[in-house]
């Protein structure tokens, strides 16, 4: 299975209740990794983009907690865009993928669950360098 084929939307459990809905995400159960870090993006100005980098090992799950945004994934061969706009769907992104997050709606909040702690050595900030590494990785 190619890296791009591993990128997929995950339907998260949704528990209906008259008092409000509840969704649960458990590492190793609903996502294929143990969760080591959680962060979120918010108050992103219109027209701004976030991410714009690749990772070697890091796996992530992106969830639109509020509003919507697009996640663009790139394996060095092809690009694919996912629109996230429901809090009960998550986009799984494996390692060796370039990712960009853009087109935030007003009030959009992007929750990210990560498989590793922050490590500068895991990042590619130069797209051409990432593509060269992705072609060697295959």
């Amino acid at each position: 299975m190619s890296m791009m084929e591993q990128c997929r939307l995950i339907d998260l459990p949704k528990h209906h209740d008259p008092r409000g809905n509840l969704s649960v995400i458990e590492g190793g159960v609903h996502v294929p990794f143990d969760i080591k870090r959680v962060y979120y993006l918010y108050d992103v100005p219109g027209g701004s983009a976030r991410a714009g980098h690749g990772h070697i090992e890091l796996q992530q799950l992106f969830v639109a907690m509020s509003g919507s945004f697009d996640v663009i994934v790139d394996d060095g061969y092809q690009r694919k865009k996912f629109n996230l706009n429901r809090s009960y769907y998550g986009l799984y992104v494996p390692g060796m993928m370039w990712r960009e997050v853009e087109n935030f709606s007003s009030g959009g909040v992007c929750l990210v669950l990560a498989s590793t702690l922050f490590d500068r050595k895991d990042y590619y900030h130069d797209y051409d360098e990432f593509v060269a590494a992705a072609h060697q990785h295959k």
Side-chain angles (χ1 to χ4, degrees), residues 5 22-23 25 36 39 41 44 55 69-70 75 81 96 111 115 121 124 127 136:
E5 290 171 331
L22 171 78
S23 288
I25 305 170
K36 299 284 179 129
Y39 62 93
L41 307 169
V44 177
H55 288 285
F69 52 86
D70 295 331
D75 64 358
K81 182 187 291 190
M96 281 313 292
L111 173 73
S115 65
K121 293 178 257 170
Y124 285 103
Y127 180 72
Q136 287 181 338

Side-chain angles (χ1 to χ4, degrees), residues 124-136:
Y124 285 103
H125 291 287
D126 179 270
Y127 180 72
D128 293 331
E129 187 179 313
F130 167 77
V131 170
H135 286 235
Q136 287 181 338

Side-chain angles (χ1 to χ4, degrees), residues 6 11 16 20 33 47-48 59-60 67 71 78 87-88 94-95 101 126:
Q6 291 181 49
D11 195 4
H16 297 282
F33 58 84
S48 295
Q59 302 171 68
Q60 295 174 306
V71 179
Q78 59 181 325
S87 58
Y88 49 87
V101 186
D126 179 270

Side-chain angles (χ1 to χ4, degrees), residues 59-123:
Q59 302 171 68
Q60 295 174 306
L61 185 78
F62 291 83
V63 179
M65 297 308 296
S66 180
S68 65
F69 52 86
D70 295 331
V71 179
I72 298 149
V73 293
D74 183 326
D75 64 358
Y77 294 91
Q78 59 181 325
R79 294 171 71 84
K80 188 171 182 180
K81 182 187 291 190
F82 293 87
N83 178 261
L84 298 179
N85 59 10
R86 300 279 185 256
S87 58
Y88 49 87
Y89 290 120
L91 174 64
Y92 169 69
V93 179
M96 281 313 292
M97 295 292 292
W98 186 269
R99 65 264 284 145
E100 299 169 14
V101 186
E102 64 182 23
N103 196 26
F104 278 80
S105 68
S106 178
V109 178
C110 171
L111 173 73
V112 183
L113 308 179
S115 65
T116 66
L117 300 176
F118 177 78
D119 181 358
R120 288 186 197 283
K121 293 178 257 170
D122 190 61
Y123 282 73

Side-chain angles (χ1 to χ4, degrees), residues 20-55:
N21 296 325
L22 171 78
S23 288
V24 176
I25 305 170
E26 294 180 349
V29 176
H30 303 108
V31 294
F33 58 84
D34 290 330
I35 300 164
K36 299 284 179 129
R37 183 167 45 118
V38 176
Y39 62 93
Y40 48 96
L41 307 169
Y42 59 97
D43 293 340
V44 177
S48 295
R50 297 294 313 238
H53 58 264
H55 288 285

